[in-house]
Amino acid sequence: MNENCTLRVLRYRYAQHLGKTLEEATGEEIFDRFDAGDVVCQRLVAEFFNGLGTGLYNLVNLFDPQTILIGGGIVERPGFLALMREHLAWFGIADYIDTVSHGNDAGLIGAVYHFNQHYSQRQLTD
């Protein structure tokens, strides 16, 4: 999935098309241009969601989860969940998907929680 459907890959493909560097291409710009009807961004975002859908479809069929939570800054974008579910409906997995409540901070909060659970116990016993 990392080679097809990460925001970094989406940005890279967009940057290549425009002759920009990766740092110059932002997810916000791509999705804003997607919303404005830009044909290239429409295609790139569709490829992004198709790659994401393929990976998530495999996870659903392999593990049979109740829910798959998506996090990161992209989930804070208004309408992202509805757009993602629209694209994932073809795969039959739209109802499995939800977003995390802490958006872009979810990974940081999880890392702090893990650190506190793992290392604060060690300090008490040392």
Side-chain angles (χ1 to χ4, degrees), residues 61 115 121 126:
N61 286 292
F115 179 84
Q121 295 297 328
D126 288 343

Side-chain angles (χ1 to χ4, degrees), residues 1 4 10 18 21 27 32 39 43 45 56 68 70 72-75 93 96 101 104-105 117:
M1 282 179 58
N4 297 315
L10 179 61
L18 294 180
T21 65
D32 287 346
V39 176
R43 181 182 54 82
V45 170
L56 293 174
I68 295 177
I70 306 292
I74 196 166
V75 303
I93 60 169
Y96 285 90
S101 58
N104 200 31
D105 293 331
Q117 292 296 312

Side-chain angles (χ1 to χ4, degrees), residues 7 69-81 84 98-106:
L7 196 54
L69 298 172
I70 306 292
I74 196 166
V75 303
E76 295 176 357
R77 186 183 194 311
F80 174 77
L81 182 59
M84 184 168 60
D98 206 349
T99 57
V100 296
S101 58
H102 297 296
N104 200 31
D105 293 331

Side-chain angles (χ1 to χ4, degrees), residues 55-68:
L56 293 174
Y57 175 82
N58 288 328
L59 289 174
V60 165
N61 286 292
L62 188 62
F63 296 110
D64 193 26
Q66 288 182 321
T67 304
I68 295 177

Side-chain angles (χ1 to χ4, degrees), residues 12 14 38 41 74 87:
Y12 176 77
Y14 177 69
D38 182 284
C41 291
I74 196 166
H87 282 271

Side-chain angles (χ1 to χ4, degrees), residues 18-37:
L18 294 180
K20 292 182 172 186
T21 65
L22 179 63
E23 292 74 27
E24 293 174 310
T26 66
E28 291 91 0
E29 178 183 1
I30 295 167
F31 278 94
D32 287 346
R33 292 184 71 168
F34 170 86
D35 290 339

